[in-house]
Amino acid sequence: MDTVLDFLSNISWWMWVLIALILIALRDVLQRKHTISHNFPIAGHFRYLLESIGPELRQYFVANNREELPFNRIERGWIYASAKHQNNYEGFGTDRDIYAHQHIFINNAMFAYKFPVDHPNAVDPAFLPCAKVMGSFNKRRKPFRPASVINVSAMSFGSLSAKAVESMNKGAKIAGAYHNTGEGGLSHYHRNGADVVFHFGTGYFGVRDDNGNFSMDKMKKLVEDFPYIKAIEIKISQGAKPGKGGVLPASKITPEIANIRSVPLGQDVLSPPTHSAFSTVPEMLQLIEDIAEVTGLPVGIKAAIGKLEQWKELANLMKKTGKGPDFITVDGGEGGTGAAPPSFADHVSLPWVYGFSDLYKVFKERDLTERIVFIGSGKLGFPAKAAMAFAMGADCINVAREAMMSIGCIQAQICHTNKCPSGVATQSKWLQNGIDPTLKSIRLAQYFKTFRKEFIEITHAAGYEHPCQFTMDDIDLNINDRELTKELSSAFKYNKTLVPFTRMQDLKECIYLGGKDGKTLKAETNSNESNTLAN
């Protein structure tokens, strides 16, 4: 034994390296699983290493500023700078190809809108609530006017980390925005003071009975226990994978997640592709009315858009009965934050701009648009894109990936692996440690405030006081070399219904603003701004 130990101790470090390489080479030659490693021992491993860091190499060293998808470097840089309250301007003119297909041009007025000294935007440059009230037409007992036109879209705890959800909720509170829970249920991390839109899908997480069916009793108790829930959203489908369910493996279900989602420990949990609470449009309409009656809250639906026959059936029923959803969230087929098969993400459902225009026309033809709050969701978290969305008929926008980037997401595009390096889309405790909710919440709030401020400035440049006043003729779109540009009204063959609007001050004084009276909201806003400055 001593002889062996002496022999081993006399082996130099480079010999150990050589021995390790020989062992790796033998392993590579003997294995048959990877052809490259078998044919090129040792050297083949560099191929897999470079492939694993390929997105990062392209992102930082290869792709140009406007080339990447889903968000290019300029877009990400604007969000990062806005969230950090840094200089988000650009110099020496735009480097965007302004003649590219579908480039947006906002038609400015000869004279910009000039507000008086006592105007709400003179006091708060980022004050921009929704021009419509959810639940007003249907006379819900608890109508709700979102205090911000930009809000946090549906992202579940489980998909996102605990610290990411906490940061977003605290940031939404500071910014006066609402926070959509996503279909994973109302977690402890959603309870930090922001207005909440409770969202559920086919799994009915948080409001399901022991058999996995929807429970009205649980829904009623949830709303009673948590008064900051201001609206209910039923997910019909989502942009990333419309018409497809999913499985939450038993290995990923912690006691905390089991409690939040009302699911058993030790069992796989199925999210089916269709709802069990309804299977027809009339049944869905009845469920909407039943939930609204029991909770008193506005109730809406979220969907990615494809075929229109059932949407037309819904619109006809709404016209006939005078009932229906208080809001409709239209998700773009180019979304989302959840994992999805490429065949679904790339090809199933329409991109937002096509899906929304098709859907809006269905309701406009039946004179129903004024009773619905239309919410856009699909890469709209930039002021110019929001102007286009509002001109087409949107009343609010929800952002998901933009919100993720404001708290540190680097677009690594590995959300589905549980290895998110920024700690945003992972359940790894170690990776989450990099997120400071106190700091990140301020960054999300600052991104929202900067967005609203610039959106208001674009609105004023077009001669309007509120973006709800944008019309389809206010935005031009590059079409092709023969027709050059067209107004949206010409490109999409409709004009949006004008939104009733008097003045911004009336929105500020609305008793339904942010789900509370205006004086309370103003006091809380001042308090939040003081705390932000102190931090």
Side-chain angles (χ1 to χ4, degrees):
M1 178 62 73
D2 292 339
T3 303
V4 174
L5 292 175
D6 289 340
F7 173 76
L8 293 176
S9 64
N10 289 326
I11 298 177
S12 58
W13 66 269
W14 61 269
M15 287 292 291
W16 282 115
V17 173
L18 182 60
I19 291 168
L21 291 175
I22 291 172
L23 291 174
I24 293 173
L26 286 172
R27 176 261 179 197
D28 288 345
V29 171
L30 295 174
Q31 63 85 33
R32 295 290 179 179
K33 188 176 181 181
H34 300 288
T35 304
I36 296 297
S37 296
H38 174 81
N39 292 345
F40 301 94
I42 300 175
H45 289 277
F46 289 98
R47 182 263 181 195
Y48 296 110
L49 173 64
L50 291 173
E51 182 184 45
S52 68
I53 61 174
E56 288 80 5
L57 289 175
R58 291 188 293 274
Q59 185 179 87
Y60 295 110
F61 301 112
V62 179
N64 66 39
N65 287 343
R66 299 285 187 183
E67 193 173 43
E68 291 175 89
L69 291 172
F71 295 89
N72 63 48
R73 188 177 296 139
I74 294 296
E75 291 171 330
R76 295 198 316 275
W78 182 83
I79 293 174
Y80 295 148
S82 298
K84 296 174 184 177
H85 208 188
Q86 296 174 346
N87 185 344
N88 63 359
Y89 285 34
E90 62 180 40
F92 212 65
T94 181
D95 62 356
R96 183 186 289 273
D97 180 5
I98 61 174
Y99 300 101
H101 179 57
Q102 291 196 346
H103 183 75
I104 299 167
F105 299 95
I106 300 167
N107 295 320
N108 59 296
M110 178 180 286
F111 301 108
Y113 173 79
K114 184 178 181 180
F115 52 78
V117 292
D118 59 345
H119 191 275
N121 291 134
V123 179
D124 179 4
F127 177 76
L128 188 56
C130 179
K132 290 181 182 176
V133 178
M134 291 181 181
S136 175
F137 177 87
N138 290 314
K139 296 181 172 57
R140 308 303 188 198
R141 297 194 302 276
K142 303 173 186 177
F144 172 56
R145 184 192 296 275
S148 171
V149 297
I150 180 172
N151 303 280
V152 180
S153 192
M155 295 180 284
S156 305
F157 167 59
S159 176
L160 298 191
S161 68
K163 287 191 176 182
V165 175
E166 180 183 349
S167 299
M168 289 183 182
N169 192 264
K170 290 179 176 179
K173 179 184 179 183
I174 295 170
Y178 67 68
H179 187 181
N180 191 305
T181 63
E183 64 177 312
L186 181 72
S187 72
H188 170 76
Y189 311 104
H190 290 101
R191 306 174 193 173
N192 288 283
D195 289 337
V196 166
V197 173
F198 180 79
H199 169 112
F200 69 86
T202 58
Y204 306 113
F205 299 127
V207 288
R208 58 190 269 150
D209 61 20
D210 295 338
N211 297 316
N213 298 314
F214 175 74
S215 170
M216 187 65 79
D217 289 338
K218 285 193 174 182
M219 173 63 78
K220 180 180 179 182
K221 187 176 188 309
L222 188 75
V223 172
E224 289 174 350
D225 290 346
F226 303 106
Y228 44 78
I229 298 176
K230 303 300 181 184
I232 309 295
E233 183 176 77
I234 305 171
K235 188 186 83 170
I236 310 301
S237 60
Q238 67 184 81
K241 48 183 177 181
K244 179 175 174 58
V247 176
L248 184 65
S251 60
K252 289 188 175 182
I253 303 176
T254 65
E256 182 180 33
I257 290 177
N259 181 58
I260 292 165
R261 298 197 176 199
S262 303
V263 298
L265 279 169
Q267 297 179 25
D268 291 346
V269 177
L270 173 68
S271 292
T274 58
H275 279 267
S276 61
F278 57 88
S279 57
T280 66
V281 171
E283 289 175 356
M284 180 184 73
L285 190 62
Q286 187 59 54
L287 180 65
I288 290 171
E289 294 301 318
D290 290 345
I291 293 174
E293 177 61 29
V294 168
T295 65
L297 297 177
V299 180
I301 55 178
K302 174 183 179 177
I305 309 302
K307 296 180 179 181
L308 295 177
E309 287 81 2
Q310 289 169 315
W311 289 104
K312 292 176 181 177
E313 182 183 357
L314 172 63
N316 289 334
L317 272 174
M318 291 173 64
K319 185 74 173 178
K320 179 180 178 180
T321 64
K323 301 176 180 179
D326 300 292
F327 62 94
I328 297 175
T329 303
V330 177
D331 203 11
E334 64 269 47
T337 58
S343 54
F344 272 81
D346 294 347
H347 300 289
V348 182
S349 83
L350 294 170
W352 187 86
V353 68
Y354 302 138
F356 183 85
S357 59
D358 283 354
L359 183 75
Y360 189 88
K361 283 187 279 190
V362 168
F363 290 93
K364 183 180 186 300
E365 289 166 0
R366 294 158 178 80
D367 297 320
L368 297 170
T369 54
E370 288 190 29
R371 68 168 76 173
I372 303 167
V373 174
F374 288 97
I375 303 172
S377 177
K379 294 179 67 176
L380 299 175
F382 304 92
K385 288 186 176 180
M388 177 193 70
F390 272 68
M392 294 177 70
D395 301 296
C396 279
I397 65 167
N398 286 352
V399 294
R401 288 170 291 182
E402 297 95 320
M404 291 168 66
M405 285 188 279
S406 75
I407 65 169
C409 166
I410 62 169
Q411 193 173 276
Q413 295 181 276
I414 52 175
C415 311
H416 57 295
T417 67
N418 204 36
K419 297 178 181 179
C420 171
S422 62
V424 175
T426 178
Q427 296 308 304
S428 165
K429 299 293 184 183
W430 170 255
L431 293 171
Q432 289 186 55
N433 284 336
I435 298 179
D436 177 2
T438 301
L439 172 64
K440 299 299 186 180
S441 62
I442 293 172
R443 289 188 176 175
L444 180 131
Q446 189 58 53
Y447 159 59
F448 275 15
K449 290 180 179 181
T450 302
F451 171 93
R452 295 196 307 243
K453 176 178 177 292
E454 292 196 13
F455 193 15
I456 291 169
E457 290 170 348
I458 286 176
T459 302
H460 291 172
Y464 299 127
E465 183 180 8
H466 190 284
C468 73
Q469 296 172 283
F470 273 113
T471 72
M472 300 282 276
D473 293 332
D474 291 316
I475 311 292
D476 277 17
L477 204 63
N478 273 346
I479 303 299
N480 56 46
D481 290 338
R482 289 178 62 83
E483 297 179 288
L484 300 180
T485 68
K486 280 186 176 182
E487 293 89 354
L488 291 179
S489 57
S490 178
F492 292 100
K493 309 299 183 186
Y494 77 96
N495 282 291
K496 85 163 192 181
T497 305
L498 296 181
V499 177
F501 173 77
T502 51
R503 56 177 189 151
M504 195 77 83
Q505 185 65 35
D506 292 338
L507 305 187
K508 186 175 182 179
E509 295 172 358
C510 175
I511 62 171
Y512 306 123
L513 182 65
K516 61 201 78 174
D517 69 89
K519 292 181 180 179
T520 302
L521 180 71
K522 182 178 179 181
E524 289 189 358
T525 301
N526 293 336
S527 174
N528 289 332
E529 290 177 351
S530 299
N531 291 336
T532 301
L533 292 173
N535 289 328

